[in-house]
Amino acid sequence: MDITHRTILVTGATSGIGRGLAERLADAGSTVIAAGRRADLLAEVSQHPHIHPLVLDVTDPGSIAAAVTELADQFPMLDTVLLNAGVMLPEDLRTGADLATAELTVATNLLGPIRLAAALVPLIAGRPDAALLTTTSGLAYVPLPATPTYNATKAALASWTESLRVQLAGQVEVVEIAPPAVRTTLMGQQTAETAIPLEVFLDETLELLRQEPTPPQILVEAVHPLRFARERGTYEAVLGALSTRTH
């Protein structure tokens, strides 16, 4: 994928992987629209000359509709969408007290991408080299028991991405990015030894994205133990190791 000339919407772009990818894609020469809920954080990200802010709450259909109208008006050359916004929160399924957490997670991680794709695919489908990327997780393939709804939404998003790829074949290139644990503020992993440094993840991800043809899944080396656990016969061992972790 040529990432030097695109007009790219990145959701969840105010921190972590989303912000890192937005900045790297802008550094490569693309025009990036950084979307997020907090205007103050968007102002920080958009100090980059090739990054433009867009206030967007992916859990709010009204916010999505307003954002799509703004995109169509101000960025008619939009050709690439990176659906990255997500939340990751622990839940205790034994108490029944975390239903609100589950509902928020589904609304953000699954309904958000589905709603945005429904609104944006018609805008980009006619563009040359149109692409839509989703951010799933290695935990879509082996779950972290501490975050059950997060794992489930990412597994669902991975499956949905596969179907989208088939349906949009020849019109829009569809790519799944499945990160491992990365040192970001998500679940307080910024210093976790079990997570890889953000810059390492970004380096490997951009290298894989630049390949021609683009791999349908962007899998950095650190996510392979999760992604290929069933094929390697290590699923139970990996799940057991995850069962002892809180992040």
Side-chain angles (χ1 to χ4, degrees):
M1 178 183 292
D2 186 346
I3 60 172
T4 64
H5 68 286
R6 294 177 178 268
T7 301
I8 307 173
L9 170 69
V10 181
T11 68
T14 56
S15 64
I17 288 173
R19 179 168 180 169
L21 287 173
E23 291 173 342
R24 290 292 191 96
L25 291 166
D27 288 342
S30 287
T31 298
V32 175
I33 304 101
R37 291 181 296 111
R38 292 182 53 182
D40 57 334
L41 295 179
L42 288 173
E44 291 180 14
V45 180
S46 59
Q47 290 180 12
H48 192 293
H50 296 296
I51 296 181
H52 308 271
L54 177 69
V55 176
L56 171 64
D57 180 351
V58 301
T59 69
D60 181 354
S63 178
I64 290 173
V68 171
T69 297
E70 184 174 342
L71 286 166
D73 180 55
Q74 297 190 20
F75 300 96
M77 302 300 288
L78 180 72
D79 57 14
T80 305
V81 175
L82 171 51
L83 300 174
N84 173 80
V87 294
M88 183 181 189
L89 299 167
E91 299 167 81
D92 187 345
L93 301 182
R94 298 166 295 184
T95 67
D98 288 331
L99 183 58
T101 295
E103 291 173 345
L104 173 65
T105 303
V106 171
T108 305
N109 296 3
L110 185 57
L111 288 178
I114 290 172
R115 287 170 171 154
L116 278 164
L120 292 172
V121 164
L123 291 183
I124 69 172
R127 302 291 309 163
D129 301 322
L132 186 146
L133 302 89
T134 60
T135 300
T136 64
S137 171
L139 300 177
Y141 300 95
V142 184
L144 175 66
T147 57
T149 304
Y150 175 85
N151 311 325
T153 57
K154 291 301 185 177
L157 186 60
S159 176
W160 179 84
T161 301
E162 291 278 2
S163 297
L164 188 70
R165 181 180 299 115
V166 173
Q167 293 196 20
L168 295 182
Q171 301 177 66
V172 178
E173 184 174 25
V174 176
V175 178
E176 175 192 356
I177 301 173
V182 178
R183 290 179 194 166
T184 70
T185 56
L186 195 72
M187 285 284 288
Q189 296 180 114
Q190 51 271 55
T191 59
E193 292 186 4
T194 53
I196 66 170
L198 176 59
E199 295 304 314
V200 171
F201 171 77
L202 295 172
D203 286 344
E204 290 189 51
T205 296
L206 269 293
E207 182 180 353
L208 291 167
L209 273 177
R210 289 189 178 100
Q211 291 183 3
E212 295 289 351
T214 315
Q217 287 187 315
I218 302 300
L219 305 170
V220 303
E221 189 66 30
V223 83
H224 287 199
L226 291 167
R227 173 61 184 86
F228 300 114
R230 291 190 184 277
E231 292 89 333
R232 295 174 176 178
T234 56
Y235 183 89
E236 295 300 331
V238 175
L239 178 61
L242 289 174
S243 297
T244 66
R245 287 170 46 184
T246 57
H247 58 66

